[in-house]
Amino acid sequence: MAILVTGGAGYIGSVTVECLLSRGEDVVVLDNLSRGHRQALASKTIFYEGNVGDGNLATRITKENEIESCIHFAAFAYVGESVERPREYFENNVEQGITLFGSLLRAGIHRVVFSSSCATYGEPEQLPIGETARQWPTNPYGWGKLLLESVLASYDVAYGLKFVALRYFNAAGATETLGEHHDPETHLIPNVLQAASGKISQVSIFGNSYPTPDGTAIRDYIHVSDLAEAHVRALDYLRQGNASEFLNLASGRGYSVLEVIECVRQVTGRPVRVQTGPARPGDPSRLVADSSKAQNLLSWSPRHSDLPTIVRTAWNWHLRHPQGYAPTL
């Protein structure tokens, strides 16, 4: 029996695939490679190139492989882009996600681990954020994730589709073989590392007037290896016949943009130039979570998510792969 991983050639998806394969699991990846990288997948991985909203393709995959569950990553994931192009985000993330869930049900597959997001909470009313906090997103990306959470909850009641929706915070870091490569790159840590390496002249700080100690936004960073492990443990949780759940994945410790930049300077020993600009629309000032529920239910803990470890692993991968997954010229 195999696990279908949608978006498995992406950043978090590829690390999760690596984790599953290391356990001896059979894995099938579906990815349209619009933002993922075929090079991030081991050559032995069964791979289909296409959209999760292609019902005919999804049906073919389930017929050609004994799929028993699905880990669903595939989505556009740029907050600013979602504000500028909401139609594309709802069509890609929500419409295609609903089509996928329908295809799974028709194939008799009733287990889904869903890659959700802390963006469903919006601007938090209190910290740390627990799973029962009010969900009111501040951008279309967050609304799309919340809509799919609602779809899953409804499909559980009506069709018995069991799920774990993992609301995680800022993924960062790298493994020995896999790291973060987006084009364009909008995430803070890889951009600061590019500034430290000289690939870009400076890093932009979006907003310095937030109601935080140093005026810059605070985020809860979690190592990509810890995220991958949580997805695998969530699948095990569902295989044991447990009820559907919504779970936060986070370190429980927030770092400001300026703190991240200073950590990069210390880890790399290199200067980092900064430029301050206006805040991006839809960006909350502070996001820090309580992940005790996930720790208890999944017997999971964020073992690699202290900021120096995150930065060090990302920097080491960057040094080994200065062009990311792009071919070396």
Side-chain angles (χ1 to χ4, degrees):
M1 301 293 284
I3 303 158
L4 175 62
V5 181
T6 68
Y11 174 40
I12 306 169
S14 63
V15 177
T16 302
V17 169
E18 182 180 63
C19 184
L20 289 166
L21 291 173
S22 72
R23 297 199 334 165
E25 300 276 8
D26 293 324
V27 178
V28 177
V29 171
L30 171 59
D31 198 303
N32 65 11
L33 298 181
S34 65
R35 303 192 178 184
H37 306 277
R38 183 66 179 86
Q39 305 95 307
L41 295 172
S43 58
K44 66 180 179 180
T45 308
I46 300 173
F47 175 72
Y48 292 80
E49 183 174 351
N51 295 320
V52 298
D54 184 341
N56 292 330
L57 176 58
T59 298
R60 180 161 69 89
I61 291 171
T62 59
K63 287 183 177 179
E64 293 177 353
N65 306 272
E66 290 186 88
I67 304 296
E68 53 101 344
S69 54
C70 175
I71 302 179
H72 178 43
F73 290 102
F76 293 157
Y78 294 141
V79 167
E81 183 181 67
S82 78
V83 174
E84 298 168 357
R85 295 151 60 181
R87 176 178 58 82
E88 295 178 27
Y89 269 68
F90 287 122
E91 289 177 353
N92 185 78
N93 294 6
V94 180
E95 184 178 331
Q96 293 207 41
I98 292 172
T99 300
L100 172 68
F101 299 155
S103 298
L104 296 175
L105 286 171
R106 283 189 291 274
I109 300 162
H110 289 80
R111 285 191 293 264
V112 174
V113 178
F114 173 51
S115 167
S116 190
S117 171
C118 65
T120 64
Y121 293 114
E123 186 72 47
E125 296 177 333
Q126 61 182 29
L127 295 173
I129 303 168
E131 286 86 355
T132 59
R134 185 187 73 145
Q135 292 178 280
W136 193 258
T138 59
N139 52 69
Y141 168 68
W143 279 112
K145 291 294 188 181
L146 183 55
L147 284 168
L148 272 195
E149 283 191 5
S150 300
V151 170
L152 285 169
S154 299
Y155 281 21
D156 183 4
V157 173
Y159 312 120
L161 180 61
K162 298 302 177 185
F163 68 91
V164 176
L166 298 173
R167 299 170 184 158
Y168 44 85
F169 287 63
N170 287 46
T175 70
E176 288 292 319
T177 55
L178 300 171
E180 188 169 9
H181 177 189
H182 301 111
D183 185 19
E185 184 57 75
T186 64
H187 293 161
L188 177 63
I189 289 177
N191 274 325
V192 181
L193 292 175
Q194 288 187 25
S197 68
K199 288 186 67 176
I200 59 176
S201 61
Q202 59 192 15
V203 65
S204 297
I205 295 176
F206 297 103
N208 62 353
S209 299
Y210 286 105
T212 61
D214 63 22
T216 62
I218 290 176
R219 293 292 182 267
D220 191 328
Y221 293 91
I222 181 166
H223 198 283
V224 65
S225 294
D226 289 332
L227 284 176
E229 183 184 353
H231 285 78
V232 174
R233 287 177 181 253
L235 179 59
D236 289 341
Y237 170 88
L238 290 175
R239 284 169 164 170
Q240 293 162 9
N242 290 305
S244 298
E245 275 291 355
F246 302 94
L247 301 175
N248 288 338
L249 297 180
S251 70
R253 167 75 161 87
Y255 298 93
S256 74
V257 173
L258 291 178
E259 287 176 318
V260 170
I261 292 171
E262 182 56 32
C263 184
V264 169
R265 288 176 176 140
Q266 293 178 10
V267 168
T268 65
R270 301 190 183 187
V272 176
R273 293 182 58 201
V274 301
Q275 179 183 45
T276 302
R280 292 178 296 197
D283 266 357
S285 59
R286 189 190 301 248
L287 291 172
V288 180
D290 175 6
S291 62
S292 58
K293 186 177 179 183
Q295 294 183 43
N296 292 331
L297 285 181
L298 305 182
S299 299
W300 167 86
S301 62
R303 296 178 296 145
H304 310 288
S305 293
D306 60 284
L307 188 59
T309 297
I310 286 173
V311 170
R312 188 180 308 108
T313 58
W315 177 242
N316 288 341
W317 190 83
H318 179 83
L319 292 176
R320 291 192 299 268
H321 304 87
Q323 304 302 319
Y325 293 109
T328 302
L329 299 178

